[in-house]
Each structure stands twice: as C-alpha cells, then as structure tokens.
Amino acid sequence: MDFPRALRERRARRHLSQLDLALRAGTTQRHLSFIESGKSVPGRNMVVRLAESLELPLRERNELLLAAGYAAAYPESALDDPVLAPVRTAIGHILRGHLPYPALVVDRGGDLIAANTAFDLITEGVAPELVGPGTNVYRLALHPDGLAPRIHNLAEWARHILARLDHLEELRAELTEYIPQLDPSAGLLGFAVPLRLQSSYGELRLMTTVTTFATAVDVTLAELKLEAFLPADAATAEALSAAAGPMGASAAPGQAPGNM
C-alpha cells in the first residue's frame, strides 16, 4: 500500500483539510503536506497520531502502520484465545441480561458469534443453513429463505441493512439481488426504522440497538457488535415475554447462550 495515498484517501473520506488533520495530530500543515506528497517519511509515533486523529478503526490503523513500513500496533486475537476468556464470559452475561428480548453478537463481516435463546423467535421457520454460529446475519435478514418473506416493511428494512454494508461489497451485491424494487411506504417513519416481523406470536415491531466495546485495543474485540432487538410497542413486549417460556432457560454462566 502506498502510504501517502492511503493517508490522503482516509483524510478525504472524513472530509478533513490538511490543516484540520495537522491540528488534531499536533503537527503543522506544511509537515503533513510533505508527508502526503512523499517528500517526508513520518516516524512511527506520527503515524499512530495521524491514525488516532482520523479516528480510524484499529484494523485500519494497523494497515496504515504497515503501509508506512512499521509493525502493527494492535493485536488481533482469535475469539477462542485464552486472553479473551473474560470477554466471552461478559458476552454470555450480556446476552442473558437482554432476555426476554432477542440479542446477538456478530463480527466485522456480520457472521454470528452468539445469540440468546430469544433469538429463536426471530429465526423460526428459516432455512437451517442460514442459522447458527458462523452464518451471516445480514444474509439471514434478506435471503428469500430467511426472514424476508415475514418482514412486512421489507423495503425500509432492506435499505437499513444495505446501508451498513459499504465495507462488504460482495455481500452487498449479493443481497441487493434478493430485494425487489420496492418503494418505501409513504408517511413518517418515526424516530427509527422498526423491524415489522410476522411470528407465531403475531406481528412483532422491534427496534434495534448496537453496542461495541468502545475501549478495546484488540482488533477482534473492537470489531464485535452486540445487536439487541427491543419492543417498539406494548403488544410486542407482551409477545416476547410470552414466548420466553417455551424457549427454555439460558446457557450456564460463562457460556455463550443459544445458537452456539
């Protein structure tokens, strides 16, 4: 990777001028101009400061360091590495804590890491190959054999999903083919795009929230996302509570529950 070009592209992507970035990184516009033109070779600390000032994800910070000829600064551990054992325990507690509401954890590509037992209500009736650890939750959401036939507001929800996949071009192209040319329903959407999903307990109206490990310094941990489905109305809250009974108890402490 050409470091000056990579730096320019990332600065432009964030709509920052050279002066803006220089001030954030504690250097001068002249020095930054020399770096971006290749006339000056930045030291390792300067590359780290520039990456931090650009608020790059940890993976991209490592890529920028490698492009400049330096070793990566942030480790990338496998999720089953002993060093991440406390993280796995925390994930289990968090997922159980969201019961009776569905919640799941995915990696950078949207592949399922773990889910709680309430997520079974979301996935009821879908093709078996679309469900389980390692399967892609974005494909699950929009595939004709997945949730798509049960989503009442498929056009709005599909746009919500596809907008999150700019870094996954191949997957985005695949999922776009599954979506018919539907116009979003007219009228006010409200404060958030709900998922209106048909289930054996009636129509569920769900909002989603996404949580990340904000202080992570490990690439793998930084890229994990916890997505929780919360009821958007009283009827959905009652349905989820009623469904919690037959779905059974959650996993034992320290284990990731459900769909594992």
Side-chain angles (χ1 to χ4, degrees), residues 49-260:
R49 277 158 46 196
L50 289 170
E52 290 177 346
S53 299
L54 287 167
E55 299 180 347
L56 298 178
L58 299 189
R59 182 178 297 276
E60 285 196 54
R61 297 185 193 190
N62 278 346
E63 291 173 353
L64 207 59
L65 281 162
L66 292 170
Y70 299 110
Y74 304 96
E76 183 175 357
S77 308
L79 195 56
D80 59 358
D81 192 303
V83 74
L84 293 186
V87 173
R88 296 193 298 273
T89 299
I91 287 173
H93 288 311
I94 293 169
L95 291 176
R96 286 191 298 275
H98 275 283
L99 292 170
Y101 305 145
L104 64 154
V105 174
V106 298
D107 65 13
R108 177 175 181 265
D111 291 341
L112 183 68
I113 301 298
N116 65 14
T117 52
F119 191 60
D120 292 347
L121 184 61
I122 302 290
T123 62
E124 61 181 6
V126 306
E129 63 270 19
L130 295 175
V131 186
T135 59
N136 190 273
V137 298
Y138 303 131
R139 184 176 290 111
L140 167 68
L142 301 183
H143 196 282
D145 295 328
L147 304 184
R150 295 165 46 214
I151 299 177
H152 294 308
N153 59 333
L154 181 58
E156 289 90 352
W157 189 251
R159 284 168 174 78
H160 167 70
I161 294 293
L162 294 176
R164 301 164 63 176
L165 303 183
D166 288 343
H167 65 298
L168 300 169
E169 294 182 4
E170 291 186 9
L171 179 62
R172 194 179 196 281
E174 174 196 337
L175 300 188
T176 299
E177 295 181 359
Y178 298 146
I179 307 304
Q181 295 298 316
L182 299 175
D183 293 327
S185 58
L188 182 67
L189 288 176
F191 59 86
V193 177
L195 170 61
R196 295 179 52 205
L197 183 69
Q198 192 61 38
S199 77
S200 57
Y201 286 78
E203 180 182 330
L204 305 176
R205 295 179 61 90
L206 299 160
M207 301 181 297
T208 61
T209 64
V210 176
T211 304
T212 61
F213 290 87
T215 59
V217 293
D218 184 282
V219 174
T220 300
L221 180 56
E223 292 177 344
L224 293 182
K225 294 181 180 178
L226 171 82
E227 184 154 1
F229 294 82
L230 304 174
D233 56 31
T236 299
E238 292 174 2
L240 292 174
S241 295
M247 277 193 266
S250 60
Q255 298 178 348
N259 292 325
M260 292 297 292

